[in-house]
Amino acid sequence: EAQVTQNPRYLITVTGKKLTVTCSQNMNHEYMSWYRQDPGLGLRQIYYSMNVEVTDKGDVPEGYKVSRKEKRNFPLILESPSPNQTSLYFCASSPSTLINRREYFGPGTRLTVT
Amino acid sequence: GESVGLHLPTLSVQEGDNSIINCAYSNSASDYFIWYKQESGKGPQFIIDIRSNMDKRQGQRVTVLLNKTVKHLSLQIAATQPGDSAVYFCAEKANDYKLSFGAGTTVTVRA
């Protein structure tokens, strides 16, 4: 089944404790991205990757890191989480075409930082 | 900056009626638009898309209308069903590598 998977689905952590949210897709998509979703703000892009070893900042990259060492995986790293990073996070992937930018979303990771 | 927004944050509709969800965008250069549906506890799911060289596109029970003159996008759902209750987002292709999303409209279907 074609899908985007994220782990963990739920995470409660404390300020400053490094964490990684994993994302994997099995559709051989070149493009992957991370979003955060907050009430009233919709989805805001954190980082995106056009291909292996190619990443760039989205709209809200501060406090986050990403890496793309393999085509299928795109982990999101919070080196020193803070309470304002409490949010619902989505990973997404897309075929890399200039016209079709439909993104396939994962199920989400709900993160709480205390 | 550019933004994509929805006119109303909530919409209540009677089961069986048609729903119309509106979206205004500000980037007149946008050439691709998408509607997503997000059910509670799930990630957004693709509903339908439209390119700027089209005014209308139909899918199964859904129609997207694009009015480039006033930079307005709408999603029409025919014969709304309880399973249509969700948050609906419009998104525009801001550039080759980015989508910009609106804040979403929560649709509640009344039995």
Side-chain angles (χ1 to χ4, degrees):
Chain A
E1 179 188 357
Q3 60 182 352
V4 178
T5 57
Q6 297 178 225
N7 282 292
R9 295 290 313 280
Y10 302 90
L11 180 60
I12 301 174
T13 189
V14 296
T15 299
K17 186 177 181 181
K18 180 180 178 180
L19 66 92
T20 299
V21 184
T22 64
C23 172
S24 182
Q25 51 93 5
N26 62 1
M27 295 171 280
N28 202 37
H29 286 167
E30 293 185 349
Y31 181 98
M32 297 185 74
S33 63
W34 276 102
Y35 293 87
R36 61 177 289 173
Q37 184 176 34
D38 302 289
L41 296 177
L43 288 152
R44 294 180 293 168
Q45 191 181 54
I46 303 171
Y47 268 95
Y48 62 92
S49 169
M50 293 82 83
N51 213 324
V52 175
E53 302 292 1
V54 183
T55 64
D56 206 348
K57 297 177 180 179
D59 295 321
V60 289
E62 293 77 22
Y64 305 94
K65 287 175 58 177
V66 293
S67 68
R68 187 91 181 273
K69 296 186 181 348
E70 306 166 281
K71 196 171 188 178
R72 62 183 292 130
N73 296 323
F74 189 45
L76 179 70
I77 303 157
L78 284 71
E79 294 271 4
S80 182
S82 62
N84 65 11
Q85 292 177 298
T86 293
S87 188
L88 180 58
Y89 291 87
F90 289 101
C91 179
S93 73
S94 170
S96 182
T97 69
L98 298 181
I99 298 176
N100 179 2
R101 285 289 291 113
R102 169 184 175 178
E103 291 190 273
Y104 296 78
F105 284 82
T109 295
R110 185 166 292 282
L111 172 66
T112 302
V113 184
T114 61
Chain B
E2 312 295 7
S3 67
V4 177
L6 287 161
H7 290 308
L8 293 173
T10 62
L11 176 66
S12 180
V13 60
Q14 186 69 38
E15 181 178 357
D17 288 351
N18 296 334
S19 304
I20 299 176
I21 306 165
N22 296 305
C23 179
Y25 64 95
S26 58
N27 184 0
S28 57
S30 293
D31 61 2
Y32 180 65
F33 304 87
I34 306 176
W35 280 99
Y36 282 93
K37 172 186 180 183
Q38 185 178 19
E39 297 175 272
S40 181
K42 297 183 179 180
Q45 293 176 286
F46 172 88
I47 302 173
I48 192 167
D49 57 3
I50 188 168
R51 297 177 188 148
S52 60
N53 61 352
M54 304 169 68
D55 297 323
K56 178 180 180 179
R57 191 169 188 210
Q58 289 184 293
Q60 187 178 7
R61 279 200 310 119
V62 295
T63 301
V64 56
L65 299 176
L66 176 62
N67 185 331
K68 294 180 288 293
T69 301
V70 296
K71 292 184 284 188
H72 183 267
L73 193 70
S74 68
L75 178 71
Q76 300 178 3
I77 305 173
T80 310
Q81 303 169 359
D84 295 327
S85 292
V87 180
Y88 291 81
F89 295 95
C90 65
E92 63 175 327
K93 189 182 86 171
N95 57 46
D96 288 344
Y97 302 108
K98 179 181 173 182
L99 284 175
S100 291
F101 286 81
T105 291
T106 300
V107 173
T108 302
V109 180
R110 306 188 306 272

